[in-house]
Amino acid sequence: MQLDPDITAAVIRIAIAGGIGGLIGGMFATRRASLIGSILMGVIGSIALAAMTRIAGFPPLVDAGEGFSYVYGAAGGFVLGLAVSASNR
């Protein structure tokens, strides 16, 4: 089974937005936040939330393509980056 190139590109764009959101969330949680850890948590959170909102049928607020939203991705990355960084003090 091949993955559609348009979906792959949209998920990569969402992952980048989530990485930035996770980095910001990690900075809000603590000054000692791990740079790589916050970015990775942001990527995971962004893909998860953007995929869930796409499956649930929510309209994309800022369309990243194929029904994915930059806003949902950045919010998911921010929340997971914040939560993991805050619990890792």
Side-chain angles (χ1 to χ4, degrees):
M1 182 175 111
Q2 286 188 339
L3 196 58
D4 187 25
D6 294 335
I7 292 179
T8 304
V11 169
I12 290 171
R13 288 190 294 265
I14 292 301
I16 292 169
I20 294 168
L23 185 60
I24 294 169
M27 296 266 195
F28 275 135
T30 180
R31 291 189 325 193
R32 294 183 332 115
S34 167
L35 177 72
I36 302 298
S38 296
I39 291 172
L40 290 176
M41 287 298 109
V43 168
I44 293 168
S46 68
I47 293 172
L49 186 62
M52 286 188 289
T53 55
R54 180 178 182 254
I55 291 169
F58 291 114
L61 298 177
V62 179
D63 193 22
E66 299 298 317
F68 291 99
S69 173
Y70 284 119
V71 175
Y72 298 140
F78 176 82
V79 168
L80 194 60
L82 180 78
V84 171
S85 295
S87 68
N88 201 15
R89 288 187 180 180

